[in-house]
Amino acid sequence: MTDVNVDVVVIGGGPVGVTALALLGRAGLTAIGVERDVKVWPTARAVHFDGETFRTLQSLGVAERFAEATLPMSSFHIENEEREVLVSVPTGQFGAQGWHDDLTFHQPDIEVLLREVVEELPGVELRRGTNVLSVRNEGPGVEVAVRDSDGAEHLIRARWAIAADGARSPSRQALGIECEKLGEDAQWLVADGILEDSPGLSSDMIFLGHHTRPSLWIRLPGKRVRMEFMMMPGDDPEELATPAGVERISHGVLPADKFTADRLAIYTFRGRIARQWRAGNIFLAGDAAHQAPPLFGQGLCAGIRDVANLVWKLGAVKRGAADHSLLDTYEGERKPHARFWVEQATRAAGFMQTTDAGIARQRDAFIRANPAASAPVAPPLGPGLHEGGTDERAGRLAMQPILSDGVRLDDMVGARFLLATTREIYSTVPAALREQLEDNDDIVVLFDPAKVGQLLAAAGAQVVIVRPDRYILGLGDTPQAFERLISSIPGVGRDVPAPL
C-alpha cells in the first residue's frame, strides 16, 4: 500500500465533490478526489442553478463555458386540477448576483465541464474508478484507504476530508452520523429525454398541482425536457415506466412517438438533515449532509454553497491566516441555511402533493391569497463569522455589480475579502493600517464609486466587508466601524498560527 499526502481528500466525484476540488485548486490547496465510477453518470439528476450558484461557478474562471450549457428560465407557474394558474413568477430577470436568477441545465454536461476545470488546475486531481475502503480521523488529520481500478490499494493522508458521497453517504454511515427526517417521503417517476416536433407546455417550469396526480414540467437546454409524476395507489411501476405509460399520465404532453427518454426511473423524494456535519477533520457536504424534495430546485445549489463556505476557510487555516476555530463556523453557518430550504421544500411538498380534492381547494385558496409564499426569500447564514446577530443585513449574500466595461466585480476581487467603502472614510484610516491592508494578499480594498457604488447603495452602508464566499461579514457608516470590522477578518491585526 502506497501513501499519498495532500491537504484535502474529497470523497465523491459528483458535481459537489468536483466543485470542491476545483475551488481547492483555485485556492492553492492540494487535493485528491476519489470517485468509484469511471465515467460521468449519463443521466440527469439536478437540473436547476440559482444566481448564487452560478456566481460560484464564475469563480472557477470559465463562466462562459458554463453559460453555454445552461438555459435561463423565463417563467414558472403553479396550476391546479382545473388548469387555473394560481401564481405566476417571472424568472427571466438578470438578478443581483450578476447572472440570471434561475437557470436549467443537463447535469452530465455540467459535470464534464467541472471535470475539465479540475484537469486544468495544478495540485488537484480526480481519481476515477476508485473505491473508498475506510475513512477515519487519525492524529491531526485523516486517513482514507482506497482501492483503484487496477486493484492496488493506497492510503491517502490529508489534513481534512470532505465527504460529498451522496444521499446514502458511506462516509456518514461509517462515522455513525444519523439523519433527521423532515416531512413524508413520496415516490415519483422521473422522465428525462428529448422532445421533438411537439410543443410541450408553455412555461419553462410548471408545477401541476393536480390532486389526481401531482406532476412537474421543466424545459431544459436544447430539446431536452423533464417531467416528474407522483406515484399513486394502484399504479403499476413497470407499466408507467414505458413510453405509452408516460404518454398517458402526461396527458399527451410527452407523446410516445416524439419523446425519447434517457431515463424513466422511480425516485423517493425525501427531506433529511444530518444531525452533525463534522466529525473531527471530516466534513459532510451536499446530499451527504442534507436532502430536500425538488420543489424549489435548491438541492445542488445548497451543496455548492456548502463547499464554497468551507473551502475558503480551509485555505485560511492552511495559510496560517486563521486558527482552527474558524472551521467550527461551517456547520453553524450552513446547517440552518440548508435546513430552511429543506423545511420549505417539505412543507410545500405536503400541500402540493395532496391527493385530496378538499385539501387541494384549501391549498388553492391559500396560494391565491399568499402568492409570495410560492417563492421564499433566501435566509441569512446561521451564527458564525459575521455580524448578523446585531445587524440583519450581515450574514446575507452581497450583490455583484457589473461594471460599465462589462466586468463583474468578483472577477476583480477573486477569492479574497473585499473591503468596499468610500474614499472619504478610507482616507481617515491610519496609514500603517492602510499599508497592512494593501499588503495583505487575502484582501482587496476598493473605494472607487464606479466599482463599489452599487454594492454600497444596495447594502445601505458606507462600509461593507464581503467574505470570499460573497456573504457580508459586516457593515457600517463611520471610520470607527471600518476599523472595527476589519479586525474581524482572519489574520488582520492579531497573531495567528504559522502556516500548516
Side-chain angles (χ1 to χ4, degrees):
M1 177 178 285
T2 57
D3 292 355
V4 182
N5 292 278
V6 289
D7 293 325
V8 185
V9 57
V10 179
I11 303 170
V16 171
V18 179
T19 299
L21 277 178
L23 290 170
L24 289 162
R26 295 280 290 185
L29 281 78
T30 59
I32 289 175
V34 291
E35 165 58 38
R36 65 180 182 182
D37 294 322
V38 174
K39 297 182 179 179
V40 166
W41 194 257
T43 56
R45 286 158 288 175
V47 295
H48 171 265
F49 284 144
D50 59 15
E52 177 186 357
T53 309
F54 209 87
R55 191 175 176 183
T56 300
L57 298 178
Q58 174 195 342
S59 73
L60 303 181
V62 288
E64 294 75 14
R65 287 156 63 182
F66 285 104
E68 291 173 358
T70 57
L71 173 70
M73 284 176 54
S74 61
S75 57
F76 162 71
H77 72 252
I78 299 172
E79 71 173 41
N80 62 13
E81 190 81 35
E82 290 71 36
R83 305 300 173 108
E84 172 195 0
V85 175
L86 299 171
V87 64
S88 183
V89 180
T91 59
Q93 63 268 27
F94 213 74
Q97 298 307 300
W99 299 98
H100 287 89
D101 285 340
D102 297 276
L103 307 100
T104 61
F105 57 88
H106 181 52
Q107 183 172 328
D109 295 342
I110 294 299
E111 290 201 46
V112 167
L113 288 175
L114 285 169
R115 292 188 179 194
E116 289 176 355
V117 171
V118 167
E119 289 172 358
E120 295 166 3
L121 287 169
V124 296
E125 64 172 304
L126 176 63
R127 296 187 175 181
R128 298 170 291 173
T130 301
N131 286 284
V132 174
L133 304 178
S134 65
V135 54
R136 64 175 182 169
N137 286 286
E138 183 64 29
V142 298
E143 291 184 349
V144 180
V146 301
R147 180 184 294 117
D148 66 23
S149 57
D150 294 328
E153 295 187 1
H154 308 276
L155 186 65
I156 304 175
R157 290 190 172 93
R159 185 67 186 85
W160 302 286
I162 301 174
D165 47 351
R168 294 183 176 86
S169 184
S171 300
R172 185 188 65 229
Q173 295 181 40
L175 295 168
I177 298 174
E178 297 181 349
C179 287
E180 177 186 356
K181 178 181 177 182
L182 285 75
E184 296 298 323
D185 296 351
Q187 287 194 312
W188 285 62
L189 173 70
V190 179
D192 282 303
I194 305 293
L195 182 64
E196 296 189 89
D197 301 322
S198 187
L201 295 178
S202 57
S203 289
D204 286 340
M205 181 179 291
I206 305 175
F207 196 98
L208 306 164
H210 304 169
H211 63 267
T212 54
R213 187 185 297 276
S215 307
L216 179 68
W217 155 271
I218 308 172
R219 190 178 299 280
L220 304 175
K223 298 179 179 180
R224 291 191 172 277
V225 301
R226 166 179 287 186
M227 288 198 76
E228 300 173 355
F229 309 92
M230 185 172 169
M231 300 293 290
M232 304 293 288
D235 278 343
D236 177 355
E238 292 186 2
E239 185 273 332
L240 284 189
T242 64
V246 169
E247 179 172 5
R248 177 175 62 80
I249 61 176
S250 71
H251 301 287
V253 174
L254 301 180
D257 61 340
K258 299 182 185 299
F259 176 66
T260 303
D262 292 333
R263 176 183 64 158
L264 295 174
I266 296 172
Y267 282 81
T268 300
F269 292 167
R270 55 172 63 91
R272 301 287 191 275
I273 292 281
R275 296 192 182 276
Q276 65 188 77
W277 288 27
R278 178 184 183 183
N281 289 309
I282 304 169
F283 300 84
L284 303 184
D287 285 353
H290 47 76
Q291 302 138 54
L295 270 295
F296 298 109
Q298 287 295 311
L300 178 55
C301 296
I304 290 179
R305 285 190 199 102
D306 294 342
V307 294
N309 181 292
L310 179 59
V311 166
W312 76 264
K313 296 174 180 177
L314 296 176
V317 175
K318 168 66 180 179
R319 294 191 303 277
D323 62 37
H324 293 80
S325 64
L326 178 62
L327 304 180
D328 296 334
T329 66
Y330 168 63
E331 180 174 340
E333 291 181 349
R334 282 295 308 135
K335 187 175 181 180
H337 193 286
R339 185 183 187 92
F340 170 87
W341 284 114
V342 176
E343 289 178 340
Q344 290 290 321
T346 54
R347 185 178 298 116
F351 64 80
M352 294 306 297
Q353 293 178 164
T354 184
T355 58
D356 182 284
I359 295 176
R361 285 192 293 272
Q362 295 175 20
R363 173 204 65 200
D364 297 352
F366 175 82
I367 293 175
R368 293 187 198 100
N370 303 276
S374 301
V377 176
L381 297 172
L385 184 66
H386 58 83
E387 295 191 343
T390 56
D391 187 336
E392 64 180 11
R393 298 171 298 175
R396 294 184 178 274
L397 194 62
M399 73 164 297
Q400 176 178 213
I402 300 178
L403 309 183
S404 59
D405 58 1
V407 173
R408 290 175 170 84
L409 185 62
D410 288 358
D411 291 335
M412 295 181 58
V413 175
R416 296 180 287 181
F417 282 89
L418 169 63
L419 278 59
T421 188
T422 65
R423 190 181 304 273
E424 292 74 19
I425 287 179
Y426 192 63
S427 66
T428 68
V429 176
L433 182 54
R434 290 202 306 268
E435 183 178 356
Q436 181 188 4
L437 295 175
E438 291 164 9
D439 288 344
N440 191 318
D441 291 338
D442 292 334
I443 295 172
V444 173
V445 181
L446 295 176
F447 46 79
D448 181 351
K451 295 181 173 65
V452 296
Q454 294 180 64
L455 173 61
L456 295 175
Q462 298 298 298
V463 179
V464 178
I465 311 296
V466 182
R467 308 182 336 174
D469 59 358
R470 317 311 183 194
Y471 280 79
I472 295 174
L473 186 153
L475 311 91
D477 292 295
T478 65
Q480 294 76 19
F482 184 91
E483 293 191 42
R484 172 179 56 80
L485 288 167
I486 62 177
S487 69
S488 300
I489 298 175
V492 175
R494 61 186 184 277
D495 294 333
V496 294
L500 295 174

